[in-house]
Amino acid sequence: MKHGRIIHLVAGITCGAILLFGQGKAPAPKSQKEAEAINAMFTAQDPDSQIKAAEALLTKYADTDFKGLALYVEANAYQNKNDAEKAIIYAERMLEVDKASLQAAQGMVMIGKITALRTREFDLDKEEKLGKAEKMATASIDVFKVAPKSNPGIPDDQWEVAKKDGIASAHEVLALVASTRKKNDVALAEYKLALDSPTPDPSTMLRYASVLNTMQKWDEAIAMTDKILATPDLHPTIKDFATKEKDKATKAKASAK
């Protein structure tokens, strides 16, 4: 979800760059046709169309200043298609050309989160994968803090919200890493930082509630699941799992009396 918000902001950045085409005030398309290709990428309505448009841009305009953005769009589109392998491939390709922007930091988070979620307790390479996820998340926080505006026209408050949202998503990765390592105290602390976001993700709240249940913090787990269940337009799957976590906490609290 956060990736979609980042793309929305990046699209705004790009539109601003297109408007400044020929004025030398921001990275800009080198021709009107390239501007149209960039616009097509950001107005594409589904993952397959986004991938096709991004590839068209990269193929026709190999020297585009928007290569990093195009690769990020592809990575995000593949993640939305639940193709984790390709999401990581395109995020890593993006980091080969861009390590300092807002979307670069979000790409690091993407790699870290996918890696952490796919790591199991008894994997032979568990620590190698968790180490990679941890490194990506930690590096992304440093980038988020200092990421420069791609266009000075973006309001300061919007930019700060985007950076804070990104830092929160990085802390979720660190929480996932800690949970897999069975370091629940660390996981709880990281989840609290992950939820210190202008737009906390219900799935993050659900993982936090699960850790609270594991640590037998029943009242906190119930309060968190109540907050999740009060979220407007909650996805049915999250609603189902939140209900189960609340029932678990409620029953455990009753039996502990």
Side-chain angles (χ1 to χ4, degrees), residues 108-109 112 132-142 170 173-174:
M108 295 174 192
V109 170
K132 177 181 179 179
E134 188 174 42
K135 181 180 178 180
M136 283 288 173
T138 301
S140 76
I141 292 173
D142 292 336
V173 176
L174 295 174

Side-chain angles (χ1 to χ4, degrees), residues 7-250:
I7 281 196
H8 178 74
L9 180 60
V10 169
I13 294 168
T14 306
C15 289
I18 290 172
L19 289 174
L20 292 170
F21 172 53
Q23 299 180 35
K25 297 181 180 179
K30 298 174 179 65
S31 69
Q32 183 59 39
K33 290 292 185 181
E34 183 186 342
E36 291 170 3
I38 294 168
N39 185 62
M41 179 176 67
F42 283 110
T43 56
Q45 296 299 306
D46 60 82
D48 287 329
S49 298
Q50 290 161 5
I51 292 166
K52 182 178 179 180
E55 280 298 311
L57 172 65
L58 294 171
T59 301
K60 294 178 182 178
Y61 306 98
D63 63 343
T64 180
D65 291 339
F66 298 94
K67 183 175 181 178
L69 290 178
L71 291 169
Y72 178 72
V73 167
E74 289 200 68
N76 187 71
Y78 277 117
Q79 186 179 44
N80 289 335
K81 284 167 63 71
N82 295 315
D83 190 334
E85 295 290 348
K86 286 188 177 178
I88 289 178
I89 287 171
Y90 280 91
E92 288 178 340
R93 282 185 60 191
M94 178 195 64
L95 293 176
E96 292 174 3
V97 298
D98 177 8
K99 294 183 175 66
S101 69
L102 190 74
Q103 70 269 10
Q106 194 62 64
M108 295 174 192
V109 170
M110 185 186 298
I111 294 168
K113 187 171 183 178
I114 291 172
T115 303
L117 286 171
R118 299 176 79 199
T119 303
R120 298 293 177 262
E121 182 179 357
F122 298 109
D123 287 351
L124 294 178
D125 58 349
K126 181 180 90 170
E127 276 307 313
E128 179 183 345
K129 291 189 288 190
L130 292 179
K132 177 181 179 179
E134 188 174 42
K135 181 180 178 180
M136 283 288 173
T138 301
S140 76
I141 292 173
D142 292 336
V143 177
F144 276 125
K145 287 179 179 178
V146 298
K149 286 185 183 181
S150 297
N151 186 313
I154 300 170
D156 289 343
D157 58 342
Q158 288 186 26
W159 193 249
E160 290 306 312
V161 165
K163 293 200 295 182
K164 186 173 182 180
D165 211 16
I167 290 171
S169 66
H171 281 292
E172 181 182 15
V173 176
L174 295 174
L176 290 167
V177 169
S179 290
T180 304
R181 287 173 171 161
K182 304 297 183 184
K183 295 182 178 180
N184 290 324
D185 287 338
V186 175
L188 280 187
E190 292 294 343
Y191 273 123
K192 287 179 181 178
L193 292 171
L195 294 174
D196 182 22
S197 163
T199 51
D201 193 322
S203 64
T204 307
M205 297 162 69
L206 180 58
R207 292 188 180 102
Y208 179 44
S210 178
V211 175
L212 289 169
N213 266 336
T214 298
M215 298 184 71
Q216 301 182 8
K217 296 180 179 289
W218 318 126
D219 288 333
E220 292 178 57
I222 292 169
M224 181 54 58
T225 51
D226 280 341
K227 189 173 181 179
I228 297 168
L229 294 169
T231 303
D233 302 318
L234 187 64
H235 192 284
T237 301
I238 295 178
K239 182 177 181 179
D240 181 54
F241 277 107
T243 300
K244 290 177 180 176
E245 288 293 339
K246 180 177 180 178
D247 289 345
K248 185 191 299 184
T250 303

